[in-house]
Amino acid sequence: MTIATVEVKRDVSEKSKFPLNQWYVAALSSELKDQPIGRTLLEKPIVLFRMGDGTVAALEDRCCHRALPLSSGMVESSGLRCGYHGLLFNQDGKCIEIPGQEKIPSKAKVAAYHVQERDGLIWIWFGQDQHVAPACDAPSYFVHSDPQYVYGGGVYYYNAPYQLIHDNLLDLSHLAYVHPHTIGGNAKIHMNAEMKVESEGDNVRVIRYMPNSEPPSTYTAAYTFHGNVDRWQEIDFRVTHQLIWTGAVDHNTADLNDPERGGFHMRGFHGITPETETTCHYFWTMATNPTNNVEEIKNKVVEQTQLTFDEDKEIIEKQYQNMLRFGPKPVIDIHVDVGANRARRIIDRLCEKKEMIQSESNQDKVLETETV
């Protein structure tokens, strides 16, 4: 009797909830002082703290003894001490002291995460295999160390999915409607601004120009203009964060393609880190370039920025609640949605997990440019 053999191929691909093998923002450097911070990042409860030498550590937020959150503990020079029975853990998650007990069990340890602190930002690596070292260093952000800029910032917690914030930041046409009293301006000019959208690899870049327009109130409060201005908005999407450079010069006084142009600058950093599929953390800073009254102007720009972000938060959370209320109804796209749609496609692609992961050196990078 002949037995036929049939080869069965099984698709092992699965979709992850969030893009992995990425650096995400875990905190602003200014947040982490002498107390631990507990945060859920990508559905992982994590505690962040500084060692005695100032380096940052990140551990699973659960003591291996009786499961108290380690974020309820105390920071010491050599690590983090649990607030229940005093077990002391170092930056690698290893228990190095048990009060009243000389022998430390080999299983007395918790998971540790790879973290890096750069330019005033604390980054945490989430990989498909969390034990494997990061494939690259955390991103740098020159603006925070550039002497021509001063900055401030803060943290928001959103009851909304993280991609809705990416959508909002990639489409600045909403400024005139949501922020009319701060960074807005003429709605018609915003909606008809010349817009160019570029894509390369996992990045999207949106450039918008509004020549010969009236400067908004935040701009005039921080800088002296002499009439109408040539205004720009440059948005760089980077999967886990966005860099947004906006500003203006007096009309016909500078080339908006010149990276060294002067005028009034607002350089925003926006770190968007999911907590869950429906909640997220938003870490932001805003830098500006005053030449006089530096602290006063910086504070004014940061305060005005926070007012706009308060308005964005209200809009986005209402948007998400309405999406839940109405369910999966279809939506339409308009011309300002090009950048956001490209970013969503990138995130969808990165969430597709495969058995074989193509190395960065073998990936073809295609530059796509579209003028809208």
Side-chain angles (χ1 to χ4, degrees):
M1 181 175 63
T2 302
I3 301 176
T5 59
V6 179
E7 181 181 1
V8 178
K9 293 186 177 180
R10 187 163 55 92
D11 185 1
V12 297
S13 300
E14 60 176 301
K15 190 176 179 67
S16 65
K17 294 179 181 179
F18 316 106
L20 297 177
N21 299 324
Q22 305 285 337
W23 286 103
Y24 286 85
V25 182
L28 303 178
S29 292
S30 57
E31 293 184 88
L32 212 54
K33 298 175 182 175
D34 58 353
Q35 297 295 321
I37 294 177
R39 283 200 170 115
T40 298
L41 307 171
L42 277 66
E43 299 187 344
K44 306 291 186 183
I46 290 167
V47 58
L48 301 154
F49 61 98
R50 285 193 187 278
M51 300 289 292
D53 62 1
T55 59
V56 178
L59 305 178
E60 179 183 29
D61 195 9
R62 174 188 176 276
C63 181
C64 58
H65 173 226
R66 288 295 183 264
L68 184 76
L70 289 173
S71 54
S72 299
M74 299 146 285
V75 176
E76 300 185 5
S77 60
S78 55
L80 182 59
R81 190 176 294 278
C82 178
Y84 199 177
H85 296 92
L87 278 70
L88 181 63
F89 296 87
N90 67 10
Q91 69 268 36
D92 298 321
K94 182 180 179 181
C95 180
I96 57 175
E97 181 185 326
I98 300 176
Q101 179 175 321
E102 186 173 335
K103 180 176 174 60
I104 300 175
S106 60
K107 292 183 179 180
K109 57 186 176 182
V110 297
Y113 290 81
H114 297 284
V115 287
Q116 286 187 16
E117 184 172 16
R118 301 190 71 181
D119 301 321
L121 301 165
I122 296 170
W123 299 84
I124 186 166
W125 175 261
F126 285 101
Q128 287 182 306
D129 184 341
Q130 200 57 46
H131 300 290
V132 175
C136 58
D137 284 330
S140 62
Y141 187 51
F142 80 94
V143 173
H144 285 173
S145 54
D146 189 323
Q148 74 169 307
Y149 291 105
V150 288
Y151 75 96
V155 182
Y156 283 96
Y157 178 81
Y158 268 77
N159 281 302
Y162 73 105
Q163 289 197 63
L164 292 182
I165 302 176
H166 280 304
D167 292 346
N168 174 270
L169 295 172
L170 280 159
D171 162 31
L172 296 186
S173 69
H174 75 269
L175 264 58
Y177 297 99
V178 180
H179 314 299
H181 305 299
T182 52
I183 58 173
N186 184 288
K188 185 175 181 180
I189 290 176
H190 269 287
M191 295 302 292
N192 290 282
E194 176 191 349
M195 183 170 71
K196 182 168 68 173
V197 182
E198 301 174 345
S199 302
E200 184 173 9
D202 296 337
N203 300 338
V204 177
R205 181 172 171 81
V206 178
I207 303 171
R208 289 164 47 88
Y209 293 138
M210 289 165 282
N212 197 20
S213 60
E214 184 179 352
S217 58
T218 296
Y219 286 34
T220 56
Y223 192 88
T224 301
F225 293 103
H226 303 91
N228 280 1
V229 299
D230 294 336
R231 190 175 171 186
W232 70 86
Q233 298 169 336
E234 299 184 7
I235 310 159
D236 286 300
F237 165 84
R238 308 284 179 89
V239 180
T240 66
H241 60 287
Q242 293 193 40
L243 312 178
I244 301 182
W245 181 23
T246 60
V249 294
D250 284 310
H251 180 50
N252 276 340
T253 62
D255 180 1
L256 296 189
N257 292 306
D258 180 3
E260 303 299 325
R261 59 189 177 274
F264 172 65
H265 295 191
M266 293 178 67
R267 285 188 178 267
F269 175 89
H270 309 265
I272 305 159
T273 303
E275 179 190 58
T276 67
E277 289 185 279
T278 59
T279 57
C280 63
H281 304 283
Y282 178 19
F283 306 91
W284 66 272
T285 68
M286 183 58 69
T288 191
N289 61 334
T291 55
N292 53 62
N293 301 324
V294 173
E295 274 303 301
E296 177 186 347
I297 291 175
K298 181 198 81 171
N299 291 337
K300 190 174 295 185
V301 168
V302 171
E303 288 168 6
Q304 294 276 295
T305 299
Q306 186 156 356
L307 286 175
T308 67
F309 291 170
D310 289 343
E311 293 167 335
D312 280 329
K313 184 175 188 293
E314 181 180 359
I315 287 288
I316 291 170
E317 289 184 337
K318 283 183 176 179
Q319 172 194 12
Y320 180 56
Q321 288 304 310
N322 220 32
M323 292 168 70
L324 293 176
R325 181 166 63 168
F326 280 92
K329 281 183 172 286
V331 296
I332 64 164
D333 289 331
I334 61 175
H335 65 288
V336 297
D337 298 319
V338 175
N341 287 343
R342 287 197 187 180
R344 280 184 172 268
R345 288 196 294 270
I346 289 170
I347 289 176
D348 285 345
R349 172 172 54 80
L350 292 175
C351 285
E352 294 292 339
K353 294 171 64 177
K354 307 291 184 182
E355 269 195 313
M356 299 297 292
I357 303 171
Q358 189 177 26
S359 67
E360 177 70 19
S361 61
N362 291 332
Q363 290 177 353
D364 292 327
K365 293 189 175 181
V366 179
L367 176 66
E368 299 177 70
T369 303
E370 183 173 351
T371 302
V372 181

